[in-house]
Amino acid sequence: MENYLSIFTEYDIPGAFWVNIQLTFWAAIGALVLGTILALLRISPVASFQAIGASYVNLVRNTPLTIIILFAVLALYGQLGFTLGGDFQANFFRLSVLGLAVYHAAFVCEAIRSGVNTVPLGQAEAARAIGLGFMPAARLIILPQAFRGAIVPLGNTLIALIKNSTVAAVGSVATESSSVMKTMIEFRSDIVIPIFLTFAIGFVIIVIPVGLLTTWLSKKLAVAR
Amino acid sequence: MSASILFDTPGPKARRRILIINIVGALIAVGIVAWIFFGLAAKGQMQPEQWDDFIQASTWKNYLLPGLLNTVKAAILGIIGSVIFGLVFGIGRLSQNKLINGFSTVIVEFFRAVPVLLMIVFFNVFFSRSLELPGDTALWAVVAALIFYNGSVVAELVRSGVHNLPKGQREAGIAIGLTRGMSLRYIEIPQALVAMLPALIGQFVVILKDSALGYIISFNELLFFARTYSSPNGNVLQALIVTAVIFILINFTLSKIAEQVSKRLSTRVKKAKNAPAVVGTTAATFAETGTKDDAKEQ
């Protein structure tokens, strides 16, 4: 037992999770913004905009996240010399956030689109009847209801993002939890299973409240119809 | 429905405006592609020698195809294992025995919340230290992690598939003298499996994509081979693009198959039930909710 407890003083486990939470936070903001723009493109009346949105979603959704983050670090930075400022570590962190945001934006877009499907036809008709064009109708009438109807799939995307933030390990973010766990189990082969369970339960503790919050929010914010 | 609710059928003036925006949009799209292309060219990334590696037979024979073979191997083992795992724990969650039910619930909820990468890293060390597995330990680590995560997702699909069946199915089963377990086995599960097929195929895409996480533990899959091959040749960017294209082609095909199956199922149920087209039929609605509500995306 003492042997096990020593890992908490030797390694900064809460700090490792904190890195994952930070990765998730920034990537979630990026994915939400990009995903909303993509959703708008996909529901617009303009065929070429729809095609841009659909190509993005189909390309990105079918690419492994590992490739996207590797691409950001090895190709964008390593081969093309593209940086996002800061020191070495900060740059890798930001490139990983970029990869995570680009990947999850495709899922956010699909979540919002499914939310748009929950908005009754009459809402859009009423918006047009009072003279709103596409953008005002989308901004004032459709999207606010769509977001409320899309809380469950958006929550699922957020949960996936939290777990996927560990893939930043391929982006050379060595302080996040999967990298820290890797180092730990390689050095402490006597307690491999307890170390894994510690990290696994850490994720359960983060993910389950998000799931409960999502369910609660989706009920609380459901549009009464 | 989503595409058409936001605007009326456009009149002549709006049609002209849409046409103009459409052309602008197309120009923007072409512009983005051209910007990427010329940007790469300006950085010296469009030289033929960086790309023609990937049209040479030896590159494919020695690197890409062996890598792809391992990726597919891991994915197929992962798929078979996940379906078995999913059936066992999905039925477990439907069990009336509190112990079996509780145990299955804990297992499924736990493995759905743990990142696949964490499991891959753990199993890799665990297997190499404590188990003597035949062949490549890294392959088994990837397969095990894929099975535990995706199996749990499949278990949820099985459970929600059975829950979405009309109540009359079980009642009819019990009325002809079957026990609960028999009705589940002979009547409900077979129907649930057919209804969940599109969502299940969608999950195969997730499995295939996640197999690329094996890269981190140096599992000899496609991405790892592409990286090892390209690093000394200075064309990592090109190799990553080629790898991504291979993944996209396979996954896109799988998604299309899922869509087709979903369509086939919805007409089948429609015919059987003679339901009006407006109301979502069971198979179609299931495919929708099944994919969207079950946290399947990775």
Side-chain angles (χ1 to χ4, degrees):
Chain A
M1 193 64 194
E2 252 171 54
N3 202 4
Y4 166 71
L5 287 176
S6 71
I7 61 169
F8 286 95
T9 48
E10 272 174 59
Y11 298 93
D12 185 11
I13 296 174
F17 277 105
W18 179 236
V19 175
N20 283 89
I21 292 172
Q22 283 174 302
L23 283 164
T24 305
F25 179 78
W26 296 113
I29 293 177
L32 193 62
V33 172
L34 187 55
T36 310
I37 295 172
L38 287 167
L40 276 176
L41 288 178
R42 291 203 74 173
I43 59 173
S44 76
V46 182
S48 59
F49 285 177
Q50 290 170 13
I52 296 174
S55 326
Y56 181 96
V57 169
N58 280 326
L59 289 180
V60 169
R61 202 170 47 169
N62 288 321
T63 311
L65 176 62
T66 324
I67 296 188
I68 294 179
I69 294 183
L70 263 187
F71 190 88
V73 171
L74 294 179
L76 272 186
Y77 169 69
Q79 208 165 331
L80 300 174
F82 174 83
T83 61
L84 286 171
D87 56 13
F88 218 55
Q89 253 190 320
N91 186 39
F92 282 142
F93 179 89
R94 289 171 195 172
L95 285 169
S96 300
V97 168
L98 177 72
L100 287 168
V102 162
Y103 180 75
H104 290 90
F107 296 99
V108 169
C109 166
E110 292 307 277
I112 293 176
R113 234 160 52 96
S114 80
V116 170
N117 276 330
T118 65
V119 180
L121 200 59
Q123 295 289 323
E125 287 171 350
R128 288 198 302 272
I130 58 168
L132 296 177
F134 175 77
M135 275 313 283
R139 193 167 54 86
L140 298 168
I141 313 285
I142 307 297
L143 281 185
Q145 298 184 57
F147 273 112
R148 290 166 70 166
I151 286 180
V152 171
L154 282 176
N156 288 338
T157 309
L158 179 63
I159 289 174
L161 174 56
I162 294 172
K163 295 191 289 169
N164 282 336
S165 67
T166 54
V167 185
V170 296
S172 314
V173 179
T175 46
E176 61 80 40
S177 53
S178 79
S179 318
V180 171
M181 189 189 86
K182 194 176 182 185
T183 321
M184 284 168 71
I185 55 179
E186 272 160 12
F187 281 100
R188 299 297 302 270
S189 55
D190 50 329
I191 45 170
V192 169
I193 295 177
I195 292 175
F196 167 68
L197 286 178
T198 307
F199 279 93
I201 289 168
F203 272 98
V204 173
I205 291 172
I206 298 176
V207 163
I208 286 184
V210 174
L212 293 177
L213 189 71
T214 307
T215 318
W216 179 75
L217 267 181
S218 74
K219 282 194 191 121
K220 187 173 157 60
L221 294 180
V223 184
R225 288 186 179 115
Chain B
M1 172 168 96
S2 73
S4 59
I5 66 160
L6 290 174
F7 34 86
D8 284 311
T9 318
K13 213 167 137 192
R15 264 209 302 274
R16 210 172 319 128
R17 208 166 56 220
I18 288 176
L19 181 73
I20 294 168
I21 303 175
N22 205 352
I23 293 169
V24 173
L27 287 176
I28 293 175
V30 173
I32 294 172
V33 173
W35 177 68
I36 292 172
F37 184 85
F38 287 111
L40 287 177
K43 295 260 186 187
Q45 300 300 333
M46 282 296 163
Q47 276 141 28
E49 66 267 24
Q50 289 171 317
W51 291 92
D52 68 4
D53 281 349
F54 300 103
I55 47 171
Q56 267 158 30
S58 63
T59 315
W60 285 87
K61 204 176 118 217
N62 298 327
Y63 291 93
L64 297 180
L65 288 181
L68 187 61
L69 186 72
N70 278 331
T71 294
V72 170
K73 208 197 275 175
I76 289 179
L77 288 172
I79 287 170
I80 296 171
S82 306
V83 171
I84 296 171
F85 184 101
L87 275 175
V88 169
F89 285 94
I91 294 172
R93 287 201 78 173
L94 292 165
S95 161
Q96 293 201 299
N97 182 322
K98 280 218 173 78
L99 204 68
I100 298 175
N101 192 325
F103 176 72
S104 311
T105 307
V106 169
I107 291 288
V108 167
E109 292 300 331
F110 177 77
F111 284 109
R112 268 187 352 146
V114 179
V116 180
L117 180 57
L118 223 54
M119 292 194 245
I120 290 181
V121 170
F122 163 70
F123 282 126
N124 190 37
V125 172
F126 181 68
F127 286 167
S128 62
R129 295 251 163 87
S130 12
L131 292 173
E132 284 288 320
L133 289 168
D136 187 3
T137 312
L139 169 71
W140 295 117
V142 171
V143 169
L146 288 177
I147 290 176
F148 279 108
Y149 172 67
N150 293 289
S152 303
V153 177
V154 175
E156 282 300 280
L157 291 180
V158 171
R159 191 174 71 112
S160 60
V162 169
H163 275 303
N164 284 353
L165 287 178
K167 220 169 68 188
Q169 295 293 327
R170 178 195 296 162
E171 290 169 354
I174 290 168
I176 58 169
L178 301 179
T179 63
R180 277 292 304 274
M182 284 160 86
S183 139
L184 203 59
R185 247 178 309 150
Y186 298 125
I187 298 184
E188 294 165 66
I189 302 268
Q191 295 186 62
L193 283 182
V194 174
M196 73 185 235
L197 211 53
L200 188 65
I201 300 173
Q203 198 60 30
F204 295 168
V205 173
V206 176
I207 293 181
L208 194 70
K209 282 195 296 180
D210 280 357
S211 72
L213 287 171
Y215 167 84
I216 291 173
I217 54 162
S218 307
F219 167 47
N220 289 326
E221 46 80 61
L222 181 57
L223 182 58
F224 185 78
F225 264 125
R227 170 79 204 282
T228 10
Y229 171 73
S230 57
S231 284
N233 295 333
N235 54 357
V236 179
L237 182 143
Q238 290 76 3
L240 287 176
I241 291 178
V242 172
T243 317
V245 169
I246 297 174
F247 271 105
I248 290 169
L249 288 178
I250 301 175
N251 287 333
F252 193 71
T253 317
L254 279 175
S255 312
K256 282 287 153 208
I257 294 173
E259 230 169 76
Q260 285 302 316
V261 171
S262 164
K263 243 183 238 160
R264 278 280 284 280
L265 288 180
S266 69
T267 51
R268 199 175 91 160
V269 178
K270 222 179 276 169
K271 250 181 240 156
K273 279 190 152 181
N274 219 356
V278 220
V279 187
T281 53
T282 20
T285 16
F286 178 74
E288 283 271 297
T289 49
T291 44
K292 271 161 196 151
D293 296 343
D294 284 310
K296 65 130 215 179
E297 73 256 21
Q298 256 285 312

